[in-house]
Amino acid sequence: MAQAVDALRHGWPIKVGDAPVLLPVETAFASAAKSDRMLISAARAETLKLTNQRAAADGHSPVLMRAADPLDIANALPVADPALDSVNPLKGPFLAEQLEWMTAAKVALELARIAGVLPAFLVDPDPQGEPVALKSVDLAAWKNPQTLAIATRARLPIAAEEEAEIVVFRAPGDMREHVALVLGDRSLDSVPLVRLHSECLTGDIFGSLKCDCGPQLDAALAAMAEAGREGGWGVLLYMRQEGRGIGLVNKLRAYRLQDEGVDTLEANRRLGLPEEARDFPLAARMLDLLGIAEVRLMTNNLEKVVALEDAGVKVSERVAHQLPANPHNTRYLATKRDRAGHLLT
C-alpha cells in the first residue's frame, strides 16, 4: 500500500491483482503513454454524459470509458479535472464500457484519494512502465485501525493549559501521524471531555473564514482547560484527515468549484471523491490506546457518536459544539446542517 500510494504521487503505474495496469493521469505529466481507455469516477462520467451511463448515488464508484482515439496525458487531464471544464468544454466522444474488474477499480480510486490525486487513470497504457503491484485485500489490511500504536508522548505546555501532554500515534505504511492532547489531571475519577478534530490547515493555521474549524479547535481546547479547573479533564484528538479525508490539494480544488456556486459536498462529488472520507473508528483506536472507554463527546455530528459507540466507546453525553457563522461560511454551515445531518445544538 505504501509503495502504491508513493507510486501514484510520483506518476508511476500500479497494478491491482489481475486488473490492467493503471497510470495516474494527474501526476504522470512527463509520461509519453497513451490509451483509448480511462478509469474515472461515476460523478465525473455523469458530468461527461457518457453513453448508457446512469446517474450514480455514489459518485466515487468507478466507470470504465473508451475514447474514439488514444489519449495522451495532456488530453486525458481535462477529462479528469472538472476545474478545466471552462477552458476545455469540448470532450469526447466517449463510451462507458462494462467493467469486469470492479473490485480492483474501487481499490484504485480509493488509492487515488489516499494519495491526494485526482481519481482518474489511463488503462493499460502504452508504454506501460514497471507497475507497483498490490492485491485488493491489501487496502483493508492497511485501513485496519488495530495497526495504530503510540509512537511517543511528552509534556507540552500550550496557551490553553500549561499542564498538557501530547501523544503521537502512527501506523506502519502510513505517513500520517495522529495526535492527542491530554489536558488536566486524568487521574481524577471523571469522564473526559473529548473532541475529534480533523486537520484543517487553512482554518487551524491561517484562520480561514470559509469554515469553522479554527474557532472549533480553539473553543474545544478552552472548554477542556475549563473542565480541568473544575476538577475534570479533556482530550483533543487531532486527526490528519484534511478536507474530510480527500487531502489538501483536492480540498482546494473543491474550494475553486465552490466559488463557481456548488456547495461543499457537491464539490467533492464533482471531483469524483467521497463527500465524507474521514476514518472515525481510528479515533476509537486512539482512545483505546489511551485507556479511555467512556467520553463526553463535543460534536454536532451524530456520525462521530455512532462510530465511537460501534467501536466500543461509550458516549455518555454529547456536548453541543456550535460556533457563530460569518458571511464567508454561512452556506458551509447550512450544508453541514441540511445535507450532512449536523445538529444545531
Side-chain angles (χ1 to χ4, degrees):
M1 273 292 298
Q3 290 176 334
V5 170
D6 188 58
L8 295 188
R9 289 174 175 163
H10 282 86
W12 300 333
I14 62 169
K15 182 174 173 57
V16 184
D18 295 330
V21 172
L22 301 173
L23 184 68
V25 169
E26 178 188 346
T27 51
F29 58 88
S31 174
K34 293 183 178 182
S35 175
D36 62 353
R37 292 188 297 164
M38 282 183 64
L39 183 70
I40 59 175
S41 69
R44 189 60 180 150
E46 184 180 352
T47 300
L48 295 172
K49 297 180 173 58
L50 294 191
T51 304
N52 73 18
Q53 171 60 33
R54 298 178 181 177
D58 177 12
H60 189 49
S61 60
V63 170
L64 179 64
M65 56 149 274
R66 184 180 293 275
D69 299 303
L71 300 168
D72 58 17
I73 293 298
N75 290 321
L77 189 58
V79 179
D81 190 351
L84 301 178
D85 285 348
S86 59
V87 293
N88 295 274
L90 300 178
K91 304 179 181 71
F94 301 132
L95 176 70
E97 294 193 335
Q98 184 70 25
L99 183 52
E100 304 291 347
W101 33 280
M102 179 63 74
T103 299
K106 288 181 177 179
V107 169
L109 292 198
E110 183 65 359
L111 277 169
R113 180 194 68 80
I114 293 168
V117 301
L118 290 169
F121 298 85
L122 289 184
V123 177
D124 205 12
D126 182 27
Q128 290 191 344
E130 184 65 29
V132 171
L134 71 157
K135 299 176 182 178
S136 296
V137 295
D138 292 339
L139 177 61
W142 182 85
K143 283 187 170 184
N144 183 358
Q146 297 307 310
T147 62
L148 193 72
I150 293 177
T152 191
R153 57 205 310 162
R155 178 177 172 272
L156 182 70
I158 61 174
E161 173 57 66
E162 292 186 8
E163 295 301 322
E165 180 187 33
I166 185 168
V167 185
V168 182
F169 306 78
R170 66 183 176 194
D174 188 352
M175 294 301 293
R176 300 172 302 169
E177 293 164 336
H178 306 285
V179 169
L181 277 176
V182 182
L183 283 68
D185 186 357
R186 69 165 299 171
S187 67
L188 298 172
D189 186 20
S190 61
V191 178
L193 184 63
V194 171
R195 168 72 182 164
L196 277 58
H197 187 89
S198 297
E199 176 185 32
C200 178
L201 174 73
T202 50
D204 299 342
I205 304 300
F206 300 131
S208 167
L209 298 177
K210 286 180 69 69
C211 64
D212 57 348
C213 301
Q216 281 191 332
L217 176 61
D218 294 338
L221 291 173
M224 291 172 190
E226 180 63 25
R229 289 189 287 271
E230 295 178 354
W233 59 296
V235 179
L236 184 129
L237 303 182
Y238 194 84
M239 307 181 70
R240 306 295 298 279
Q241 301 184 128
E242 182 79 52
R244 293 179 175 269
I246 67 173
L248 179 61
V249 173
N250 281 326
K251 182 179 89 166
L252 298 185
R253 287 189 174 115
Y255 277 5
R256 289 185 61 181
L257 294 175
Q258 289 171 39
D259 289 340
E260 296 175 7
V262 302
D263 66 33
T264 309
L265 302 185
E266 179 60 24
N268 282 22
R269 176 182 167 83
R270 289 198 182 187
L271 288 167
L273 296 163
E275 296 176 353
E276 175 61 86
R278 288 176 291 181
D279 186 354
F280 296 136
L282 197 64
R285 171 62 176 168
M286 294 169 71
L287 291 170
D288 180 54
L289 290 168
L290 291 171
I292 299 172
E294 183 178 353
V295 302
R296 298 168 55 229
L297 189 63
M298 294 187 72
T299 187
N300 294 322
N301 185 354
L302 290 179
E303 285 189 25
K304 293 182 179 180
V305 176
V306 172
L308 289 189
E309 291 188 330
D310 285 349
V313 178
K314 180 180 179 181
V315 180
S316 59
E317 180 185 0
R318 185 190 67 81
V319 180
H321 194 45
Q322 185 78 12
L323 281 299
N326 68 63
H328 300 276
N329 70 10
T330 301
R331 187 181 184 190
Y332 166 79
L333 296 178
T335 298
K336 289 206 295 185
R337 179 194 66 218
D338 299 336
R339 295 194 57 194
H342 287 213
L343 303 176
L344 292 177
T345 58

